[in-house]
Amino acid sequence: MKFRIIILFLLVTVILIGEKLVAQNNKIIPGEEIVIDVFKLNSPRIEFGVEKLRKALLQKGYQVIVNRKSPVSSGKRNIAIIDITKALEEYPEMLTTYERKHMPSKEAFIIESEKNGNINLQGFSASGILYGCLDLADRITAAGKLPQKINKVDSPEMVLRGQCIGIQKSTYLPGRNVYEYPYTPETFPWFYNKKLWLQVLDSMVDNRMNSLYLWNGHPFASLVKLKDYPYAVEVDDSTFKKNEAMYRFITTEADKRGIWVIQMFYNIIVSKPFAEYNHIKTQERERPIIPLIADYTRKSIAAFVEKYPNVGLMVCLGEAMEGVGKDDIEWFTKTIIPGVQEGMKALGKTEEPPIVLRAHDTDAPSVMEAALPLYKNLYTEAKFNGEALTYARPRGEWAKLHQTLSHLGSVQIENVHILANLEPFRYGAPDFIQQSVIGMHEVMGGNGLHLYPQASYWDWPYSADSVKGGKRLLQIERDWIWYKAWSRYAWKANRSRADEINYWSNLLAVKFGCTNADGKKILEAYEQSGEIAPKLLRRFGITDGNRQTLTLGMLMTQLINPYRYGLFTLLYDGESPEGEMLTQYAEKEWKKQEHIGETPVQIISEVKQHGDKAVAAITAVEKNIKKNKEEFKRIKNDMLCYKAMAYHYAEKTTAALDVLRYKYSDDINDLKKAMPLLEKSVSSYKELVALTQGTYLYANSMQTQQRKIPIRGANGTFKTWAEVLGPFEKELSRFKYAVDSIYKRNTAAVETSSLKERLQNAEVKIVPADLKFYAVNDSHTIFSDTALKMENFAGDIKLLNGLQLSWKEQLSKGTEINFTTDKPVKVLVGFFKLKKAAFSKDTTFLKEPELETNASANDYGQAEIKIANALVIKGMPPVNIHTYSFPAGANKLKLAKGVCLILGFVKDDDIIPVYDAGLTEDGVKVEIDWLFE
């Protein structure tokens, strides 16, 4: 059937072109005159493609005439450009109903030569013609001449193939919160650089990408003015005009290249001037939908759609608003969609601009079910491997979510997000990337790609490399192989391994002026190093989110007791192959149980081999490099960094297994076995410090309080390996002291601080005054409307007084406590910890602060677990204690709907020990964190 369709299209072509003149001499002669026929075609995309084709011919010595006046070519050799869709509009009888239903992609094209050497280039849309012109131009460039014979039918597999640019910063702006970045020349000077934008867009069209995502929390106040809210604009008039001009320039130039610009925004965020004028916060996750904000947001969207009609919207319902629940459905269906529809009405158009629903921190299937009857041109988007790259074939409930979205009848877009485990070293493993795209199709049901920069997302357009003279490298230049690989496989995923090795080896050989055999060695280095970071994170990591910087390493306590650090179990349950964590492996080893799937010991061995092979491959060709020598040196240094990191983790995790064995054996010899391994891990880390000093400015581009693993990275601290070396040396020193103390039977020196009853109640005045306190150590009922009592609790909280709240009211209204205090205080909040995936629904317990889904989860210093497994309530989940810090004066603690515990108020300068109390209904769970603290 497909063959018949092609034959019919070719017949239409013949009818449109008319008779061809008798063939000239078929031999191609440099200087030969070529006519490009573009009769009746008037499109910026076609013009762009034809110009690319014309230049390719000129560069190879041809004379080129572009004919727009006549449907019949002259006697000269010609390339006939045909829009098949328009042809079928004139000859509808050419296709049956079945054939019309099964038309190829709109981006498809056909290139076929005739016996006389003329070429018919046919597209199913302006984009199809554009891609056909680019394909033919590439062939001319590669072969040095116009092909004599060609017969190609091609189209992309993925509907959307795009990359994103964050119009955001690595740190907060003064007086603002996360995601709040107005478009100004001071904050984003690169945004106003037309030359840079053309370079970006040209690289995208070269890679056949067709969508560009611009990320910003609240872009509207920088791009539109509202009659009803004139005070909401965040920039001065001069900047506003610049923003208008640049946005139109970007979208116009993108459209020429077949690229759809998609503007992303968060909900619910309002502009700073709007918030100040109305005496509200710019964003407040627990705030219900109020008419004022809904009206402002709806009108902002309407004005944006009216002003920029060719731009799509990407909506993030979660993170800045409460997330899963009825509010996100109401906001999408009663604010977002009506805003778009009002903009359409103002334009007098009925064609719906596309809306992409981001599935992050929202019940996307329920939102889509409610929205599809109201609006048809909807897409969904969800993270492929969280904010990392770990595994090509996700599984479990995470895969089911994507599969559910892909069956809604709209296109499901797979998002390759922040890549926190790849920062900042180069990553260019085509095989891993190819297998990931195949997994997107076969496992997730995805048919679109939304690609983040490989590293330094928050520092766009620059990479983290430190270069002599202070020059900054551009991400799109440094990481060319990253963008090219993802886009190549988004176009077509299943390609033979042998062909791909040849393809990439040749590209690398050309880039570095070496032989194809040497190019193959460079490819091997990329492929081997490309396995290290994914394998390390999926077996040893705390989270798939960007609160962990993998390349900076991990503390021993994070390896031996990950639950204390808010372990994000989705990483292991969905974004990794079936296997075991360090703690699970150690327990099974002790109990002599059978191991399942991918094990830590297996990964320890594999990452060292990958590091050795990557360094060996890159070193083998070093003397043969003729071009781009400085960049090659940087690649080699990255390979050395990957090897040092692999060995550091391998040695440290092997030591962790010995330490975990001690947990069961109580044999000091297990700790003695761990000692030299931990020492080696510090030595390997020192190698990493040496390799990165002078070559990298930082490890992570997000330098805010969201960074937690291995060390809290607020205000740009602990962003380099040299800074983190100190804590690693300190834990080694502490471990030596602890082992020595055990050896001398001086156990008192290493007792945990949890036995100290040192936290005291701070004086606060609660409003309303009828709220009752209860003494933690008094076996009192902890809720006003249940009989639940504490059966055990950590010694640190013994003297505190908790607030007796209503279980039912916490479920129906959430928790709101107004209080005044003369001195700064911390509020101790107990969260019931269920073991569940991040996206699953829970209608009972308040979700623990979680930076993976809530960027404001550390605004009060609440993201870190202070005391894990802190108390026992019979029949209830374990409780982790977090603290919220407030200044002196009148304050409000506002929490979303869900049951939690308010365990008391203490002075803000009271030091609360961070530890795992290990309390369970079955007794005290033994933890050994004290060996390193």
Side-chain angles (χ1 to χ4, degrees):
M1 184 61 68
K2 182 177 178 182
F3 179 75
R4 183 186 169 200
I5 293 174
I6 293 171
I7 293 298
L8 288 169
F9 292 150
L10 295 178
L11 181 57
V12 172
T13 299
V14 172
I15 295 173
L16 286 175
I17 295 173
E19 289 189 7
K20 299 292 181 180
L21 297 177
V22 179
Q24 297 177 336
N25 188 337
N26 286 341
K27 185 178 180 181
I28 298 171
I29 304 168
E32 179 184 4
E33 196 168 73
I34 304 294
V35 177
I36 303 176
D37 284 321
V38 287
F39 179 65
K40 283 189 175 181
L41 298 181
N42 183 18
S43 161
R45 291 184 190 179
I46 294 174
E47 287 294 325
F48 185 88
V50 168
E51 180 61 15
K52 285 282 188 180
L53 179 56
R54 188 183 75 86
K55 286 183 177 180
L57 288 164
L58 288 173
Q59 287 173 357
K60 297 306 175 183
Y62 291 95
Q63 299 178 47
V64 185
I65 298 172
V66 179
N67 170 42
R68 295 181 175 87
K69 299 179 180 179
S70 169
V72 180
S73 296
S74 66
K76 299 178 176 62
R77 193 171 182 216
N78 70 78
I79 302 170
I81 309 294
I82 303 118
D83 187 329
I84 292 177
T85 305
K86 288 187 176 180
L88 292 174
E89 289 174 359
E90 295 187 35
Y91 301 93
E93 69 278 4
M94 294 301 301
L95 291 181
T96 67
T97 302
Y98 175 86
E99 290 166 337
R100 194 172 296 280
K101 185 178 180 181
H102 292 82
M103 289 274 287
S105 159
K106 287 185 178 180
E107 294 177 307
F109 63 87
I110 301 169
I111 307 175
E112 185 175 71
S113 57
E114 297 181 349
K115 290 181 180 180
N116 59 8
N118 291 336
I119 292 176
N120 298 322
L121 192 157
Q122 307 151 81
F124 288 76
S125 66
S127 288
I129 292 173
L130 167 65
Y131 291 138
C133 288
L134 294 175
D135 185 278
L136 188 54
D138 288 346
R139 291 171 183 273
I140 293 166
T141 301
K145 60 184 180 180
L146 187 65
Q148 186 67 26
K149 292 184 179 180
I150 182 172
N151 188 350
K152 181 174 183 179
V153 180
D154 202 3
S155 63
E157 292 174 344
M158 282 192 165
V159 173
L160 288 176
R161 308 168 304 283
Q163 67 188 58
C164 86
I165 292 175
I167 307 180
Q168 305 186 111
K169 301 292 288 184
S170 60
T171 56
Y172 294 172
L173 295 179
R176 291 183 178 271
N177 211 325
V178 62
Y179 302 135
E180 296 178 17
Y181 301 104
Y183 293 18
T184 67
E186 295 75 25
T187 306
F188 303 106
W190 57 264
F191 179 76
Y192 305 88
N193 186 338
K194 291 184 178 181
K195 182 179 178 181
L196 175 63
W197 277 113
L198 291 177
Q199 184 180 356
V200 171
L201 296 171
D202 282 341
S203 71
M204 290 182 67
V205 75
D206 286 345
N207 288 330
R208 309 304 190 262
M209 285 189 163
N210 67 355
S211 45
L212 172 63
Y213 299 82
L214 301 179
W215 279 63
N216 187 268
H218 186 70
F220 307 116
S222 295
L223 296 169
V224 295
K225 293 180 179 179
L226 305 180
K227 180 180 177 182
D228 293 342
Y229 304 102
Y231 53 83
V233 178
E234 292 201 276
V235 297
D236 59 43
D237 286 344
S238 174
T239 300
F240 187 83
K241 290 177 181 177
K242 289 179 182 177
N243 291 346
E244 285 182 311
M246 281 308 305
Y247 212 81
R248 288 199 174 101
F249 173 81
I250 294 165
T251 54
T252 300
E253 291 296 329
D255 184 63
K256 287 181 187 177
R257 294 160 175 82
I259 297 168
W260 163 35
V261 175
I262 306 168
Q263 180 64 62
M264 178 270 179
F265 62 101
Y266 280 97
N267 292 282
I268 302 173
I269 297 180
V270 298
S271 76
K272 194 170 190 282
F274 180 90
E276 291 171 346
Y277 184 92
N278 291 290
H279 307 291
I280 60 175
K281 292 182 179 180
T282 54
Q283 51 183 301
E284 187 176 8
R285 185 175 169 88
E286 296 78 20
R287 177 169 56 199
I289 296 172
I290 60 176
L292 173 68
I293 295 178
D295 186 66
Y296 166 71
T297 304
R298 190 185 74 252
K299 287 177 178 174
S300 295
I301 292 169
F304 182 83
V305 170
E306 182 181 0
K307 190 172 185 178
Y308 306 105
N310 296 320
V311 180
L313 291 173
M314 183 176 188
V315 183
C316 181
L317 292 177
E319 195 149 350
M321 69 186 291
E322 189 175 326
V324 178
K326 69 175 184 178
D327 282 358
D328 49 3
I329 297 175
E330 179 180 339
W331 189 254
F332 194 63
T333 59
K334 296 184 179 180
T335 298
I336 305 297
I337 290 177
V340 175
Q341 291 171 331
E342 287 174 16
M344 291 165 50
K345 185 177 180 180
L347 282 170
K349 63 182 289 187
T350 57
E351 183 181 356
E352 295 176 334
I355 302 177
V356 181
L357 172 65
R358 190 181 181 215
H360 178 69
D361 194 31
T362 191
D363 182 2
S366 296
V367 175
M368 288 292 286
E369 182 181 358
L372 279 169
L374 307 174
Y375 200 93
K376 299 303 179 186
N377 198 13
L378 296 177
Y379 297 75
T380 56
E381 178 261 25
K383 296 175 183 176
F384 181 59
N385 282 169
E387 295 174 340
L389 188 64
T390 54
Y391 187 40
R393 304 182 75 83
R395 59 193 177 90
E397 292 300 316
W398 187 239
K400 287 182 182 178
L401 171 66
H402 289 243
Q403 292 159 7
T404 299
L405 295 173
S406 70
H407 288 116
L408 292 174
S410 57
V411 173
Q412 160 61 13
I413 303 166
E414 294 299 314
N415 177 206
V416 181
H417 207 68
I418 288 286
L419 291 316
N421 64 327
L422 303 187
E423 283 196 307
F425 308 132
R426 287 157 178 77
Y427 187 96
D431 184 49
F432 198 106
I433 292 171
Q434 182 181 15
Q435 296 309 312
S436 295
V437 177
I438 291 172
M440 290 176 180
H441 286 295
E442 295 182 353
V443 179
M444 315 297 258
N447 200 27
L449 172 70
H450 176 193
L451 181 68
Y452 265 57
Q454 185 255 298
S456 302
Y457 164 78
W458 303 94
D459 198 15
W460 176 270
Y462 305 111
S463 73
D465 298 78
S466 178
V467 181
K468 288 181 181 179
K471 179 185 176 184
R472 298 297 302 273
L473 301 184
L474 292 176
Q475 293 175 26
I476 55 170
E477 293 177 352
R478 190 198 88 150
D479 301 320
W480 65 273
I481 194 170
W482 169 263
Y483 291 107
K484 186 171 285 292
W486 284 103
S487 57
R488 177 174 175 81
Y489 300 121
W491 184 278
K492 182 181 179 182
N494 288 291
R495 303 171 188 257
S496 80
R497 177 65 176 152
D499 288 346
E500 291 309 286
I501 290 173
N502 289 334
Y503 173 81
W504 293 107
S505 298
N506 179 63
L507 283 183
L508 290 164
V510 170
K511 185 171 183 64
F512 294 106
C514 57
T515 65
N516 277 15
D518 289 336
K520 188 175 180 181
K521 283 287 186 181
I522 301 171
L523 175 63
E524 182 184 359
Y526 268 121
E527 299 279 23
Q528 293 292 340
S529 65
E531 296 286 340
I532 294 171
K535 287 183 176 180
L536 286 176
L537 188 71
R538 74 191 192 206
R539 283 280 70 86
F540 308 125
I542 297 292
T543 173
D544 69 357
N546 62 18
R547 67 183 168 103
Q548 174 167 6
T549 305
L550 179 81
T551 57
L552 284 176
M554 294 173 66
L555 295 170
M556 279 295 284
T557 52
Q558 291 162 351
L559 293 169
I560 65 174
N561 188 8
Y563 287 99
R564 170 181 149 186
Y565 294 89
L567 180 71
F568 196 63
T569 55
L570 173 63
L571 171 62
Y572 293 93
D573 298 338
E575 296 160 358
S576 305
E578 185 177 17
E580 297 171 4
M581 298 167 54
L582 278 167
T583 53
Q584 296 167 329
Y585 185 90
E587 183 178 4
K588 285 188 173 186
E589 277 289 286
W590 179 254
K591 294 178 179 179
K592 294 181 168 48
Q593 296 174 341
E594 183 180 356
H595 295 291
I596 298 174
E598 189 176 79
T599 67
V601 172
Q602 171 193 340
I603 294 305
I604 286 167
S605 173
E606 289 179 3
V607 294
K608 289 193 294 185
Q609 291 179 45
H610 290 312
D612 289 340
K613 290 179 179 178
V615 170
I618 204 73
T619 304
V621 302
E622 186 173 12
K623 294 180 180 180
N624 303 331
I625 301 304
K626 301 294 190 297
K627 292 168 54 180
N628 295 308
K629 291 183 178 181
E630 290 303 313
E631 177 60 13
F632 180 84
K633 288 179 183 178
R634 289 189 281 265
I635 294 173
K636 180 188 174 183
N637 192 71
D638 280 357
M639 298 303 128
L640 293 169
C641 288
Y642 272 119
K643 179 181 176 180
M645 183 177 75
Y647 271 81
H648 164 72
Y649 268 101
E651 291 151 356
K652 197 163 190 173
T653 52
T654 304
L657 286 173
D658 288 330
V659 171
L660 286 167
R661 181 177 175 82
Y662 170 76
K663 182 176 176 179
Y664 302 102
S665 71
D666 200 30
D667 183 351
I668 193 173
N669 288 315
D670 289 324
L671 298 182
K672 288 182 176 180
K673 283 177 62 180
M675 187 71 69
L677 289 164
L678 191 56
E679 289 174 333
K680 282 184 179 180
S681 77
V682 173
S683 295
S684 294
Y685 199 81
K686 287 180 179 178
E687 290 181 31
L688 196 52
V689 171
L691 289 165
T692 53
Q693 283 186 323
T695 60
Y696 278 102
L697 301 171
Y698 54 77
N700 48 45
S701 62
M702 186 180 184
Q703 295 155 17
T704 66
Q705 60 195 15
Q706 277 83 353
R707 289 288 187 186
K708 308 292 287 186
I709 312 294
I711 305 290
R712 185 172 182 266
N715 301 317
T717 58
F718 292 106
K719 65 183 181 182
T720 67
W721 297 263
E723 290 174 284
V724 178
L725 177 61
F728 286 170
E729 291 178 323
K730 185 177 179 181
E731 69 176 2
L732 173 60
S733 176
R734 171 63 184 171
F735 183 56
K736 288 178 178 179
Y737 175 76
V739 173
D740 185 60
S741 298
I742 295 171
Y743 186 74
K744 294 177 180 178
R745 302 295 179 186
N746 186 16
T747 56
V750 292
E751 285 183 346
T752 176
S753 63
S754 64
L755 300 179
K756 300 177 183 178
E757 300 165 5
R758 60 180 178 180
L759 293 178
Q760 303 285 334
N761 292 297
E763 290 188 15
V764 296
K765 183 178 180 181
I766 304 292
V767 181
D770 59 352
L771 281 176
K772 296 180 179 179
F773 284 94
Y774 64 87
V776 168
N777 66 349
D778 197 23
S779 299
H780 200 284
T781 53
I782 55 179
F783 295 102
S784 62
D785 48 358
T786 75
L788 294 172
K789 298 180 180 180
M790 289 187 206
E791 294 192 348
N792 198 2
F793 46 82
D796 285 286
I797 67 171
K798 180 177 182 179
L799 302 180
L800 297 184
N801 294 326
L803 271 178
Q804 190 184 57
L805 303 174
S806 164
W807 176 288
K808 291 181 180 178
E809 285 193 8
Q810 282 193 317
L811 281 176
S812 61
K813 299 179 182 179
T815 300
E816 184 174 315
I817 299 168
N818 295 281
F819 63 93
T820 58
T821 173
D822 293 334
K823 296 180 179 179
V825 296
K826 291 189 184 86
V827 185
L828 277 70
V829 181
F831 291 88
F832 293 93
K833 183 63 176 176
L834 290 175
K835 289 187 178 181
K836 60 186 181 67
F839 54 87
S840 60
K841 300 177 186 178
D842 173 32
T843 57
T844 302
F845 300 108
L846 180 61
K847 191 175 185 179
E848 212 165 2
E850 184 180 79
L851 286 165
E852 283 79 6
T853 56
N854 177 11
S856 62
N858 203 38
D859 286 357
Y860 300 90
Q862 76 270 33
E864 183 179 37
I865 297 173
K866 294 296 184 181
I867 307 176
N869 299 298
L871 54 93
V872 175
I873 303 170
K874 190 173 182 180
M876 299 291 284
V879 175
N880 294 336
I881 294 177
H882 296 244
T883 63
Y884 289 67
S885 292
F886 291 92
N891 294 291
K892 179 189 293 185
L893 172 65
K894 191 172 183 180
L895 303 172
K897 297 172 186 176
V899 175
C900 65
L901 300 171
I902 306 300
L903 294 165
F905 298 78
V906 300
K907 294 178 182 177
D908 193 51
D909 57 3
D910 280 356
I911 298 174
I912 299 178
V914 178
Y915 66 96
D916 188 338
L919 301 181
T920 70
E921 286 193 57
D922 299 326
V924 179
K925 181 178 62 175
V926 176
E927 295 299 345
I928 50 178
D929 301 29
W930 53 268
L931 287 166
F932 303 95
E933 297 179 325

